[in-house]
Amino acid sequence: RLFSQTAHPEPKTLEIGAPAPDFMLPGVDGKTYSLKDFKKAQVLVIVFSCNHCPTAQAYEDRIIALANDYKPKGVAVVMISPNDVNALNYSELGYSDMGDSFDEMKLRAADKGFAFPYLYDGNDQKTALAYGPVATPHCFVFDRERMLRYVGRIDGREKTGIGKGEDVRNAVDAVLAGKPVNNPVTKVFGCSIKWSWKNEYTKKLYKQWAELPVNIEDIDVQGIKELINNTSSGKLRLINFWATWCGPCITEFPDLVIIDRMYRGRPFEFISVSTDKRNRKEDAVKFLKTQQASNKNFIFNDDDVYKLSEAVDNGWQGALPFTMLIEPGGKVIYKKQDTINPSEMKKLIVENKSIGRYY
């Protein structure tokens, strides 16, 4: 499913007056949908959106409100995710706790309580190619005969709590009243569609990450205390204490590297601290290199691990792994002696005031 740019010129957005292209797409509710499933609707609103995009997330509540307010008037709202997950890289997930896979769409729909179909077009993108969205979210409003009457933005206020979906609501009101839509075409703003043939940047980025140096530095008790205090970084700090002989540590470490790659472009940093004996330092380095762990890595410079545990947290009994999430200024908002739940950690990070889901 990988295509060259020359094989796929930029898709053209559907023009006003054009009929709605049919589709056959799976929904997060386990059903498969096509146009005929909405044949009773007086107006059909199709919104191309996704999980990861901060702009798309900023409009989710407005889409929910649109669907709820207009359902009694015979308006059906459908949301379609057009993105190919293979063209989406971890650095583009810095404003979200979820990517755009079908399984993650199910989770987002449950989290937000979507009361409308949320459909997946990421496998072949045929529906997106037929409609031609250019960004998420991109809205298409069709009349009773399924002719396009409005295409563009939901409203012109990306920031949450300000816009109320005025543009799409005005369009729907006009179509319901049998009147022409004022400004039937508006510009959109948001994340670009992740077309399957546009994965060169992702491959290049992952290659660059793989080539970054992986180092480990000694750290003493005072250094550990400074890490925990987090007074000068200005970043949300995730610290993981681990060892090469700890099976759960080794198992969870790839998830921590993914978290680092997702949020390293934000005010966030991941730091690992090896508790291996000093004569096992090379083993720790070797493991970190296999993980492409180009984040900050330390190894405690004293074989007395009790000094380490006392410096870290009085409540830590010494079992590994041990993970802490610390706000700038030293407020510990998460600590766990055991493996983390990656999904819960991502949500905790992105919803922290230091990070956030929106621009």
Side-chain angles (χ1 to χ4, degrees), residues 341-358:
N341 180 314
S343 297
E344 291 178 357
M345 178 58 71
K346 292 172 188 175
K347 193 169 186 178
L348 191 60
I349 291 170
V350 80
E351 292 185 349
N352 186 266
K353 61 184 179 181
S354 302
I355 309 296
R357 293 183 179 272
Y358 316 117

Side-chain angles (χ1 to χ4, degrees), residues 39-94:
K39 61 184 178 181
K40 294 181 180 179
Q42 297 301 309
V43 176
L44 176 62
V45 179
I46 296 179
V47 183
F48 286 87
S49 191
C50 66
N51 282 353
H52 86 275
C53 173
T55 307
Q57 292 180 78
Y59 279 100
E60 284 176 334
D61 288 342
R62 277 168 273 188
I63 296 170
I64 292 170
L66 174 75
N68 291 338
D69 291 348
Y70 281 87
K71 184 178 181 179
K73 300 180 181 181
V75 176
V77 173
V78 181
M79 195 154 75
I80 299 175
S81 179
N83 291 337
D84 183 340
V85 294
N86 294 313
L88 180 66
N89 65 69
Y90 290 131
S91 72
E92 295 173 292
L93 303 182

